[in-house]
Amino acid sequence: MVRLIFLGPPGAGKGTQATLLAKSFSIPHISTGDILRGAVAERTDLGLKAQAYMDRGELVPDQLLLDMIRNRLNQSDAESGWILDGFPRNIAQADFLDQLLLEIHQSCDAVVNIDVPDEVLVSRLLERGRKDDSEEVIRRRLDVYRSQTAPLIDAYRNRQQLVSVNGNQPIDTVTSELQRLIEHK
Ligand code: ADP
């Protein structure tokens, strides 16, 4: 049973590593970015509200995320553990998650930070070419990450929950380092 939060800037490889580790631990990979993109594609109410923020590289308003996370963590497959990828992304979301985990009698085993230099991030994202991967939007996402999400790294480090890995290495090297660090947590 393992429960993990993945932090790290856009392009760090969170989604890739979260997918691989979720498979190896047989637990659900919960990506708020994937859920939101699905909602946009299906033109649900959530998707219609979220789209403009995503297109600009801004965070979607917290209120739209909170019910989504609560419902997802209450689904039965999440009883065996989970990897949260893309949430929390600011202090208010982190506070909400603390409260929710208390309520559902769960706790997170480790918060994973994947470290990658900025110039590598930008070139990876430009290569990926997703709809929100234009240079201007990428720059905005990095700014938002630095101002709103990066402060969470210190907060989780102070609680001794942080595990940090160098993400500027081959994919399987990052995966095996992560596996080792998590097992020793
Ligand atoms: P990346 O890892 O490249 O930043 P994601 O796929 O995690 O991309 O997220 C894409 C977009 O979805 C974000 O730029 C943001 O607009 C929105 N988003 C995802 N998760 C959250 C969240 N927890 N809070 C607010 N917005 C979010």
Short mmCIF file of all heavy atoms in Angstrom, two decimals, residues 104-155:
data_model
loop_
_atom_site.label_atom_id
_atom_site.label_comp_id
_atom_site.label_asym_id
_atom_site.label_seq_id
_atom_site.Cartn_x
_atom_site.Cartn_y
_atom_site.Cartn_z
N ILE A 104 -10.74 11.08 5.72
CA ILE A 104 -10.90 9.72 5.19
C ILE A 104 -9.87 8.76 5.81
O ILE A 104 -9.69 7.64 5.32
CB ILE A 104 -10.88 9.68 3.64
CG1 ILE A 104 -9.55 10.17 3.08
CG2 ILE A 104 -12.02 10.51 3.06
CD1 ILE A 104 -9.48 10.13 1.55
N HIS A 105 -9.21 9.21 6.85
CA HIS A 105 -8.27 8.36 7.60
C HIS A 105 -7.18 7.78 6.71
O HIS A 105 -6.89 6.59 6.75
CB HIS A 105 -9.00 7.25 8.36
CG HIS A 105 -10.12 7.77 9.20
ND1 HIS A 105 -9.90 8.50 10.35
CD2 HIS A 105 -11.46 7.73 9.03
CE1 HIS A 105 -11.05 8.86 10.86
NE2 HIS A 105 -12.02 8.41 10.08
N GLN A 106 -6.61 8.66 5.90
CA GLN A 106 -5.48 8.23 5.07
C GLN A 106 -4.33 9.20 5.31
O GLN A 106 -4.53 10.29 5.82
CB GLN A 106 -5.86 8.26 3.58
CG GLN A 106 -6.91 7.24 3.21
CD GLN A 106 -7.12 7.14 1.70
OE1 GLN A 106 -6.43 7.77 0.90
NE2 GLN A 106 -8.09 6.32 1.32
N SER A 107 -3.12 8.76 4.93
CA SER A 107 -2.01 9.70 4.96
C SER A 107 -1.08 9.40 3.80
O SER A 107 -1.05 8.30 3.27
CB SER A 107 -1.26 9.61 6.29
OG SER A 107 -0.74 8.32 6.43
N CYS A 108 -0.35 10.44 3.42
CA CYS A 108 0.53 10.31 2.27
C CYS A 108 1.89 9.81 2.75
O CYS A 108 2.39 10.25 3.78
CB CYS A 108 0.59 11.70 1.64
SG CYS A 108 1.92 11.90 0.53
N ASP A 109 2.47 8.84 2.03
CA ASP A 109 3.75 8.26 2.46
C ASP A 109 4.95 9.12 2.06
O ASP A 109 5.93 9.18 2.77
CB ASP A 109 3.93 6.87 1.85
CG ASP A 109 2.81 5.95 2.29
OD1 ASP A 109 2.71 5.73 3.51
OD2 ASP A 109 2.02 5.50 1.44
N ALA A 110 4.87 9.75 0.91
CA ALA A 110 5.99 10.58 0.45
C ALA A 110 5.50 11.56 -0.61
O ALA A 110 4.53 11.30 -1.32
CB ALA A 110 7.10 9.71 -0.13
N VAL A 111 6.19 12.69 -0.66
CA VAL A 111 5.94 13.69 -1.69
C VAL A 111 7.18 13.71 -2.57
O VAL A 111 8.28 13.95 -2.09
CB VAL A 111 5.70 15.08 -1.06
CG1 VAL A 111 5.49 16.12 -2.14
CG2 VAL A 111 4.50 15.03 -0.11
N VAL A 112 6.99 13.41 -3.83
CA VAL A 112 8.11 13.26 -4.75
C VAL A 112 8.32 14.55 -5.53
O VAL A 112 7.39 15.07 -6.14
CB VAL A 112 7.81 12.10 -5.74
CG1 VAL A 112 8.86 12.07 -6.84
CG2 VAL A 112 7.74 10.77 -5.00
N ASN A 113 9.54 15.06 -5.48
CA ASN A 113 9.87 16.23 -6.29
C ASN A 113 10.84 15.81 -7.38
O ASN A 113 11.90 15.25 -7.10
CB ASN A 113 10.51 17.31 -5.42
CG ASN A 113 10.97 18.49 -6.24
OD1 ASN A 113 10.26 18.96 -7.12
ND2 ASN A 113 12.18 18.97 -5.97
N ILE A 114 10.48 16.07 -8.64
CA ILE A 114 11.37 15.75 -9.75
C ILE A 114 12.01 17.05 -10.24
O ILE A 114 11.32 17.96 -10.68
CB ILE A 114 10.60 15.06 -10.90
CG1 ILE A 114 9.88 13.81 -10.34
CG2 ILE A 114 11.55 14.67 -12.02
CD1 ILE A 114 9.11 13.03 -11.39
N ASP A 115 13.32 17.10 -10.12
CA ASP A 115 14.10 18.31 -10.39
C ASP A 115 14.67 18.29 -11.80
O ASP A 115 15.32 17.32 -12.17
CB ASP A 115 15.30 18.30 -9.44
CG ASP A 115 15.31 19.49 -8.53
OD1 ASP A 115 14.67 20.50 -8.88
OD2 ASP A 115 15.96 19.39 -7.47
N VAL A 116 14.43 19.35 -12.56
CA VAL A 116 14.99 19.45 -13.91
C VAL A 116 15.30 20.92 -14.19
O VAL A 116 14.49 21.79 -13.87
CB VAL A 116 13.97 18.92 -14.96
CG1 VAL A 116 14.47 19.11 -16.38
CG2 VAL A 116 13.65 17.45 -14.73
N PRO A 117 16.48 21.23 -14.76
CA PRO A 117 16.80 22.63 -15.06
C PRO A 117 15.81 23.25 -16.05
O PRO A 117 15.32 22.57 -16.95
CB PRO A 117 18.20 22.56 -15.70
CG PRO A 117 18.72 21.19 -15.44
CD PRO A 117 17.56 20.30 -15.15
N ASP A 118 15.55 24.56 -15.87
CA ASP A 118 14.56 25.27 -16.69
C ASP A 118 14.76 25.12 -18.19
O ASP A 118 13.80 24.94 -18.93
CB ASP A 118 14.58 26.77 -16.34
CG ASP A 118 13.68 27.07 -15.16
OD1 ASP A 118 13.22 26.10 -14.51
OD2 ASP A 118 13.44 28.26 -14.90
N GLU A 119 16.02 25.23 -18.65
CA GLU A 119 16.20 25.20 -20.12
C GLU A 119 15.83 23.82 -20.68
O GLU A 119 15.33 23.71 -21.80
CB GLU A 119 17.61 25.66 -20.53
CG GLU A 119 18.78 24.81 -20.07
CD GLU A 119 19.23 25.11 -18.63
OE1 GLU A 119 18.52 25.82 -17.89
OE2 GLU A 119 20.31 24.59 -18.25
N VAL A 120 16.04 22.77 -19.88
CA VAL A 120 15.64 21.43 -20.32
C VAL A 120 14.12 21.31 -20.36
O VAL A 120 13.55 20.74 -21.29
CB VAL A 120 16.25 20.35 -19.39
CG1 VAL A 120 15.81 18.95 -19.80
CG2 VAL A 120 17.77 20.45 -19.35
N LEU A 121 13.46 21.91 -19.37
CA LEU A 121 11.99 21.87 -19.32
C LEU A 121 11.39 22.48 -20.57
O LEU A 121 10.51 21.90 -21.20
CB LEU A 121 11.46 22.65 -18.11
CG LEU A 121 11.82 22.12 -16.73
CD1 LEU A 121 11.30 23.09 -15.67
CD2 LEU A 121 11.23 20.74 -16.52
N VAL A 122 11.87 23.68 -20.91
CA VAL A 122 11.29 24.40 -22.05
C VAL A 122 11.48 23.58 -23.32
O VAL A 122 10.55 23.41 -24.11
CB VAL A 122 11.88 25.82 -22.18
CG1 VAL A 122 11.37 26.50 -23.43
CG2 VAL A 122 11.53 26.65 -20.94
N SER A 123 12.67 23.01 -23.52
CA SER A 123 12.87 22.28 -24.78
C SER A 123 12.05 21.00 -24.80
O SER A 123 11.50 20.62 -25.84
CB SER A 123 14.35 22.04 -25.07
OG SER A 123 14.89 21.18 -24.11
N ARG A 124 11.91 20.34 -23.65
CA ARG A 124 11.04 19.13 -23.62
C ARG A 124 9.60 19.47 -23.97
O ARG A 124 8.94 18.76 -24.72
CB ARG A 124 11.04 18.53 -22.22
CG ARG A 124 12.27 17.71 -21.89
CD ARG A 124 12.02 17.09 -20.54
NE ARG A 124 13.16 16.38 -20.01
CZ ARG A 124 13.18 15.80 -18.81
NH1 ARG A 124 12.11 15.89 -18.04
NH2 ARG A 124 14.25 15.17 -18.40
N LEU A 125 9.10 20.58 -23.40
CA LEU A 125 7.69 20.93 -23.60
C LEU A 125 7.44 21.35 -25.04
O LEU A 125 6.40 21.03 -25.62
CB LEU A 125 7.27 22.03 -22.63
CG LEU A 125 7.20 21.61 -21.16
CD1 LEU A 125 7.10 22.81 -20.24
CD2 LEU A 125 6.03 20.66 -20.92
N LEU A 126 8.42 22.07 -25.63
CA LEU A 126 8.25 22.48 -27.02
C LEU A 126 8.22 21.26 -27.93
O LEU A 126 7.46 21.20 -28.89
CB LEU A 126 9.38 23.44 -27.44
CG LEU A 126 9.26 24.86 -26.91
CD1 LEU A 126 10.50 25.68 -27.23
CD2 LEU A 126 8.00 25.55 -27.46
N GLU A 127 9.02 20.26 -27.59
CA GLU A 127 9.05 19.02 -28.36
C GLU A 127 7.72 18.27 -28.27
O GLU A 127 7.27 17.67 -29.23
CB GLU A 127 10.14 18.11 -27.80
CG GLU A 127 11.27 17.78 -28.76
CD GLU A 127 12.43 17.19 -27.97
OE1 GLU A 127 12.34 16.01 -27.59
OE2 GLU A 127 13.40 17.94 -27.72
N ARG A 128 7.14 18.30 -27.05
CA ARG A 128 5.91 17.54 -26.80
C ARG A 128 4.75 18.06 -27.63
O ARG A 128 3.94 17.30 -28.15
CB ARG A 128 5.58 17.63 -25.30
CG ARG A 128 4.41 16.83 -24.88
CD ARG A 128 4.30 16.79 -23.37
NE ARG A 128 3.81 18.04 -22.82
CZ ARG A 128 3.58 18.23 -21.52
NH1 ARG A 128 3.82 17.27 -20.66
NH2 ARG A 128 3.11 19.38 -21.09
N GLY A 129 4.67 19.41 -27.74
CA GLY A 129 3.69 20.01 -28.64
C GLY A 129 2.23 19.78 -28.30
O GLY A 129 1.38 19.70 -29.20
N ARG A 130 1.88 19.69 -27.00
CA ARG A 130 0.47 19.63 -26.62
C ARG A 130 -0.17 20.98 -26.93
O ARG A 130 0.53 21.96 -27.17
CB ARG A 130 0.39 19.32 -25.12
CG ARG A 130 -0.86 18.60 -24.68
CD ARG A 130 -0.69 18.11 -23.25
NE ARG A 130 -0.64 19.24 -22.32
CZ ARG A 130 -0.23 19.13 -21.05
NH1 ARG A 130 0.14 17.95 -20.59
NH2 ARG A 130 -0.22 20.19 -20.28
N LYS A 131 -1.49 21.05 -26.88
CA LYS A 131 -2.18 22.29 -27.26
C LYS A 131 -1.72 23.49 -26.40
O LYS A 131 -1.62 24.61 -26.89
CB LYS A 131 -3.69 22.08 -27.11
CG LYS A 131 -4.56 23.28 -27.43
CD LYS A 131 -6.01 22.86 -27.67
CE LYS A 131 -6.91 24.07 -27.81
NZ LYS A 131 -7.47 24.51 -26.51
N ASP A 132 -1.46 23.23 -25.10
CA ASP A 132 -1.03 24.32 -24.22
C ASP A 132 0.49 24.41 -24.13
O ASP A 132 1.03 24.90 -23.16
CB ASP A 132 -1.67 24.17 -22.83
CG ASP A 132 -1.34 22.83 -22.16
OD1 ASP A 132 -0.85 21.92 -22.86
OD2 ASP A 132 -1.56 22.70 -20.95
N ASP A 133 1.19 23.91 -25.13
CA ASP A 133 2.65 23.91 -25.13
C ASP A 133 3.28 24.93 -26.08
O ASP A 133 4.36 24.71 -26.60
CB ASP A 133 3.19 22.50 -25.44
CG ASP A 133 3.07 21.54 -24.25
OD1 ASP A 133 2.91 22.03 -23.11
OD2 ASP A 133 3.14 20.33 -24.46
N SER A 134 2.61 26.05 -26.33
CA SER A 134 3.27 27.11 -27.08
C SER A 134 4.24 27.81 -26.14
O SER A 134 4.09 27.75 -24.93
CB SER A 134 2.24 28.12 -27.59
OG SER A 134 1.80 28.92 -26.50
N GLU A 135 5.25 28.49 -26.73
CA GLU A 135 6.30 29.04 -25.89
C GLU A 135 5.76 30.01 -24.83
O GLU A 135 6.17 29.98 -23.67
CB GLU A 135 7.38 29.71 -26.74
CG GLU A 135 8.57 30.12 -25.89
CD GLU A 135 9.91 30.01 -26.61
OE1 GLU A 135 9.92 29.74 -27.83
OE2 GLU A 135 10.93 30.21 -25.93
N GLU A 136 4.82 30.85 -25.24
CA GLU A 136 4.27 31.85 -24.31
C GLU A 136 3.53 31.16 -23.15
O GLU A 136 3.68 31.55 -21.99
CB GLU A 136 3.31 32.74 -25.10
CG GLU A 136 2.87 33.97 -24.36
CD GLU A 136 1.67 34.62 -25.04
OE1 GLU A 136 1.41 34.32 -26.24
OE2 GLU A 136 0.98 35.41 -24.37
N VAL A 137 2.73 30.15 -23.48
CA VAL A 137 1.96 29.46 -22.44
C VAL A 137 2.90 28.65 -21.53
O VAL A 137 2.70 28.59 -20.31
CB VAL A 137 0.86 28.56 -23.07
CG1 VAL A 137 0.12 27.76 -22.00
CG2 VAL A 137 -0.12 29.42 -23.85
N ILE A 138 3.94 28.07 -22.12
CA ILE A 138 4.92 27.33 -21.32
C ILE A 138 5.55 28.26 -20.30
O ILE A 138 5.69 27.93 -19.12
CB ILE A 138 6.03 26.73 -22.23
CG1 ILE A 138 5.47 25.57 -23.03
CG2 ILE A 138 7.23 26.29 -21.40
CD1 ILE A 138 6.41 25.06 -24.11
N ARG A 139 5.93 29.46 -20.77
CA ARG A 139 6.57 30.41 -19.85
C ARG A 139 5.61 30.77 -18.71
O ARG A 139 6.00 30.87 -17.56
CB ARG A 139 7.02 31.65 -20.63
CG ARG A 139 8.43 32.03 -20.23
CD ARG A 139 8.99 33.17 -21.05
NE ARG A 139 9.64 32.72 -22.27
CZ ARG A 139 9.36 33.17 -23.50
NH1 ARG A 139 8.42 34.08 -23.68
NH2 ARG A 139 10.02 32.72 -24.51
N ARG A 140 4.35 30.95 -19.06
CA ARG A 140 3.35 31.28 -18.04
C ARG A 140 3.22 30.11 -17.04
O ARG A 140 3.14 30.33 -15.84
CB ARG A 140 2.00 31.57 -18.72
CG ARG A 140 0.93 32.04 -17.78
CD ARG A 140 1.18 33.46 -17.26
NE ARG A 140 0.38 33.71 -16.08
CZ ARG A 140 0.85 34.12 -14.90
NH1 ARG A 140 2.15 34.35 -14.75
NH2 ARG A 140 0.05 34.30 -13.89
N ARG A 141 3.18 28.87 -17.53
CA ARG A 141 3.05 27.72 -16.63
C ARG A 141 4.25 27.63 -15.70
O ARG A 141 4.11 27.28 -14.53
CB ARG A 141 2.89 26.41 -17.42
CG ARG A 141 1.61 26.36 -18.24
CD ARG A 141 0.94 24.98 -18.19
NE ARG A 141 1.80 23.88 -18.57
CZ ARG A 141 2.06 23.51 -19.81
NH1 ARG A 141 1.51 24.16 -20.83
NH2 ARG A 141 2.85 22.50 -20.04
N LEU A 142 5.45 27.94 -16.24
CA LEU A 142 6.64 27.91 -15.38
C LEU A 142 6.58 28.99 -14.30
O LEU A 142 6.95 28.75 -13.15
CB LEU A 142 7.92 28.05 -16.21
CG LEU A 142 8.34 26.79 -16.98
CD1 LEU A 142 9.50 27.10 -17.93
CD2 LEU A 142 8.74 25.67 -16.02
N ASP A 143 6.12 30.19 -14.68
CA ASP A 143 5.95 31.27 -13.68
C ASP A 143 4.97 30.86 -12.60
O ASP A 143 5.20 31.07 -11.41
CB ASP A 143 5.39 32.55 -14.33
CG ASP A 143 6.44 33.27 -15.16
OD1 ASP A 143 7.64 32.93 -15.04
OD2 ASP A 143 6.05 34.17 -15.93
N VAL A 144 3.84 30.32 -13.03
CA VAL A 144 2.81 29.89 -12.08
C VAL A 144 3.37 28.81 -11.17
O VAL A 144 3.18 28.82 -9.96
CB VAL A 144 1.55 29.38 -12.82
CG1 VAL A 144 0.59 28.66 -11.87
CG2 VAL A 144 0.83 30.54 -13.52
N TYR A 145 4.13 27.89 -11.76
CA TYR A 145 4.76 26.84 -10.95
C TYR A 145 5.68 27.46 -9.90
O TYR A 145 5.59 27.12 -8.72
CB TYR A 145 5.57 25.87 -11.84
CG TYR A 145 6.39 24.93 -10.99
CD1 TYR A 145 5.78 23.87 -10.34
CD2 TYR A 145 7.75 25.16 -10.77
CE1 TYR A 145 6.50 23.04 -9.50
CE2 TYR A 145 8.48 24.34 -9.93
CZ TYR A 145 7.84 23.28 -9.30
OH TYR A 145 8.55 22.47 -8.45
N ARG A 146 6.54 28.37 -10.34
CA ARG A 146 7.51 28.95 -9.41
C ARG A 146 6.82 29.72 -8.29
O ARG A 146 7.19 29.60 -7.13
CB ARG A 146 8.48 29.86 -10.16
CG ARG A 146 9.90 29.38 -10.02
CD ARG A 146 10.86 30.19 -10.88
NE ARG A 146 11.22 29.45 -12.07
CZ ARG A 146 10.95 29.82 -13.31
NH1 ARG A 146 10.30 30.95 -13.56
NH2 ARG A 146 11.32 29.07 -14.31
N SER A 147 5.80 30.51 -8.63
CA SER A 147 5.20 31.35 -7.59
C SER A 147 4.21 30.57 -6.72
O SER A 147 4.13 30.82 -5.52
CB SER A 147 4.56 32.59 -8.20
OG SER A 147 3.53 32.20 -9.07
N GLN A 148 3.46 29.64 -7.29
CA GLN A 148 2.39 29.01 -6.50
C GLN A 148 2.69 27.59 -6.02
O GLN A 148 2.29 27.20 -4.94
CB GLN A 148 1.09 29.01 -7.31
CG GLN A 148 0.69 30.41 -7.74
CD GLN A 148 -0.75 30.48 -8.15
OE1 GLN A 148 -1.62 29.98 -7.45
NE2 GLN A 148 -1.02 31.09 -9.29
N THR A 149 3.37 26.80 -6.86
CA THR A 149 3.56 25.39 -6.53
C THR A 149 4.88 25.13 -5.82
O THR A 149 4.93 24.37 -4.84
CB THR A 149 3.46 24.51 -7.80
OG1 THR A 149 2.29 24.88 -8.53
CG2 THR A 149 3.37 23.04 -7.45
N ALA A 150 5.96 25.77 -6.28
CA ALA A 150 7.28 25.50 -5.69
C ALA A 150 7.32 25.70 -4.17
O ALA A 150 8.03 24.95 -3.48
CB ALA A 150 8.36 26.32 -6.40
N PRO A 151 6.59 26.70 -3.61
CA PRO A 151 6.61 26.84 -2.15
C PRO A 151 6.18 25.58 -1.39
O PRO A 151 6.55 25.38 -0.24
CB PRO A 151 5.65 28.01 -1.88
CG PRO A 151 5.68 28.82 -3.14
CD PRO A 151 5.87 27.81 -4.26
N LEU A 152 5.41 24.71 -2.06
CA LEU A 152 4.98 23.47 -1.40
C LEU A 152 6.17 22.56 -1.12
O LEU A 152 6.15 21.75 -0.19
CB LEU A 152 3.97 22.72 -2.26
CG LEU A 152 2.66 23.44 -2.57
CD1 LEU A 152 1.78 22.56 -3.43
CD2 LEU A 152 1.95 23.78 -1.26
N ILE A 153 7.22 22.68 -1.95
CA ILE A 153 8.39 21.81 -1.76
C ILE A 153 8.97 22.03 -0.37
O ILE A 153 9.25 21.07 0.35
CB ILE A 153 9.45 22.09 -2.85
CG1 ILE A 153 8.88 21.66 -4.22
CG2 ILE A 153 10.76 21.37 -2.56
CD1 ILE A 153 9.78 21.99 -5.39
N ASP A 154 9.14 23.30 0.01
CA ASP A 154 9.69 23.60 1.34
C ASP A 154 8.75 23.14 2.44
O ASP A 154 9.19 22.61 3.46
CB ASP A 154 9.94 25.10 1.49
CG ASP A 154 11.17 25.54 0.72
OD1 ASP A 154 12.08 24.70 0.54
OD2 ASP A 154 11.20 26.70 0.29
N ALA A 155 7.46 23.35 2.22
CA ALA A 155 6.50 22.96 3.24
C ALA A 155 6.57 21.45 3.50
O ALA A 155 6.60 21.01 4.65
CB ALA A 155 5.09 23.36 2.80
#
